Amino acid sequence: MNKIFKAEILKNQALTEDVYCLSINVPFNIEAKPGQFFIIKINERFDPLLGRPFSIFDLEDKTLKFLYRVKGKGTSVLSKLREGQNLQITGPFGKWYPFPKDDYIVIAGGIGIASVFYLMKKFPKRAYLFYGARHRREIFYYKELEEVAKEVFISTECGTLDYKGVITELFRRKGLHLNLPIYSCGPMIMIRELKKLLKNKDVPCYVATEERMACGVGACLGCVIETKEGFKRVCTEGPVFEIGDLIL
Ligand code: FES
């Protein structure tokens, strides 16, 4: 059941020049599952009036965290807010990742790590994590990831960590043979590649396709995605889908 509430900013930390980690204080205990998202509205007067969806990066006690990239007016204003200011929050929304029963694989591309960290924290030391980014400085929370994952494999375009290249290729070399359920979030190009790799595999693969969302509440139709059963709204019928159901 989702709620609307005011939350105070505890921290709004710049991790790179355009990626931030926002921590807010929820005034009561809230239940939210990995893969779900909240809608953040900066204030009543702010244009755009609609809030914006942010997937849960972490939730512990009453501290809720979001990882976001500045890519428009809303996130630019958000990045300038400081400790002590208030936000209007609504949520949680969306379909969550089915809970893993045993070991599993996580494949994250770039800021997509925001959607899967909380999953690994809830089901710790069972995930083989494949995490790719453009550059080493965009590999966020490496130490924390090592703590929650069973094993971590990193790829960057510059090759300053484990592997030089794309994360789907590193997964093909080191993880495909494991035949474990897969949880993934990242850019559409990565999801498409993943779907090709899994063509003849009989393993479930759940992907969060949230990069397309705008209003987050089913109103703008800006998030529709083609599935075997027709077009679906990512915000209301996703963001988590079985990769085999998607027409990419
Ligand atoms: Fe607006 Fe889904 S984001 S309808």
Side-chain angles (χ1 to χ4, degrees), residues 213-216 218-223 233 235:
M213 287 198 282
C215 74
C220 72
L221 300 184
C223 66
R233 282 172 294 185
C235 62

Side-chain angles (χ1 to χ4, degrees), residues 31-38 54-59 64-67 92-93 113-119 210:
E31 228 191 273
K33 300 191 176 71
Q36 290 191 298
F37 64 92
F38 284 84
F54 293 84
S55 59
I56 302 164
F57 172 56
D58 194 10
L59 173 61
L64 183 55
K65 293 184 185 176
F66 305 97
L67 209 58
F93 292 102
I113 197 71
S115 165
V116 286
F117 176 72
Y118 185 41
L119 176 79
E210 63 207 7

Side-chain angles (χ1 to χ4, degrees), residues 8-229:
E8 188 185 322
I9 297 177
L10 299 171
K11 209 171 176 185
N12 195 14
Q13 187 189 5
L15 304 179
T16 65
E17 63 279 7
D18 63 347
V19 176
Y20 287 74
C21 182
L22 171 71
S23 307
I24 59 170
N25 178 47
V26 181
F28 43 80
N29 285 319
I30 195 157
E31 228 191 273
K33 300 191 176 71
Q36 290 191 298
F37 64 92
F38 284 84
I39 292 181
I40 300 181
K41 202 168 166 184
I42 291 171
N43 65 42
E44 296 306 323
R45 294 180 309 276
F46 181 68
D47 169 36
L49 286 173
L50 291 170
R52 285 289 176 264
F54 293 84
S55 59
I56 302 164
F57 172 56
D58 194 10
L59 173 61
E60 191 165 330
D61 300 326
K62 291 178 180 169
T63 302
L64 183 55
K65 293 184 185 176
F66 305 97
L67 209 58
Y68 66 96
R69 190 185 295 279
V70 175
K71 55 181 180 188
K73 192 173 171 186
T75 43
S76 169
V77 174
L78 184 63
S79 71
K80 295 184 178 67
L81 299 185
R82 292 290 164 259
E83 192 183 318
Q85 289 183 272
N86 284 307
L87 294 167
Q88 185 184 300
I89 312 288
T90 317
F93 292 102
K95 258 174 69 183
W96 54 87
Y97 292 109
F99 294 164
K101 294 188 179 70
D102 208 331
D103 287 353
Y104 57 102
I105 286 169
V106 170
I107 305 175
I111 198 85
I113 197 71
S115 165
V116 286
F117 176 72
Y118 185 41
L119 176 79
M120 290 186 283
K121 199 170 160 180
K122 283 267 193 197
F123 301 92
K125 291 293 173 200
R126 283 156 56 185
Y128 295 89
L129 169 65
F130 293 82
Y131 179 16
R134 273 175 295 184
H135 195 275
R136 184 189 182 134
R137 65 175 172 275
E138 295 218 333
I139 297 292
F140 304 114
Y141 297 101
Y142 185 73
K143 201 173 117 275
E144 289 80 356
L145 291 169
E146 279 200 314
E147 280 164 18
V148 295
K150 183 167 183 164
E151 227 174 305
V152 180
F153 301 88
I154 301 282
S155 79
T156 55
E157 282 176 18
C158 53
T160 44
L161 284 169
D162 296 356
Y163 177 76
K164 181 179 164 110
V166 294
I167 197 60
T168 41
E169 178 55 21
L170 185 56
F171 164 67
R172 189 186 68 77
R173 293 176 184 209
K174 306 257 184 186
L176 192 59
H177 68 281
L178 293 173
N179 287 322
L180 293 172
I182 299 165
Y183 297 78
S184 182
C185 186
M188 208 37 96
I189 187 169
M190 184 195 93
I191 306 289
R192 273 194 204 104
E193 201 49 45
L194 185 57
K195 186 166 177 173
K196 276 191 225 155
L197 284 178
L198 297 176
K199 204 170 161 209
N200 298 314
K201 285 271 174 188
D202 188 22
V203 287
C205 175
Y206 309 103
V207 293
T209 50
E210 63 207 7
E211 67 167 27
R212 293 159 168 257
M213 287 198 282
C215 74
V217 290
C220 72
L221 300 184
C223 66
V224 288
I225 191 163
E226 194 173 5
T227 74
K228 282 180 178 165
E229 292 162 7

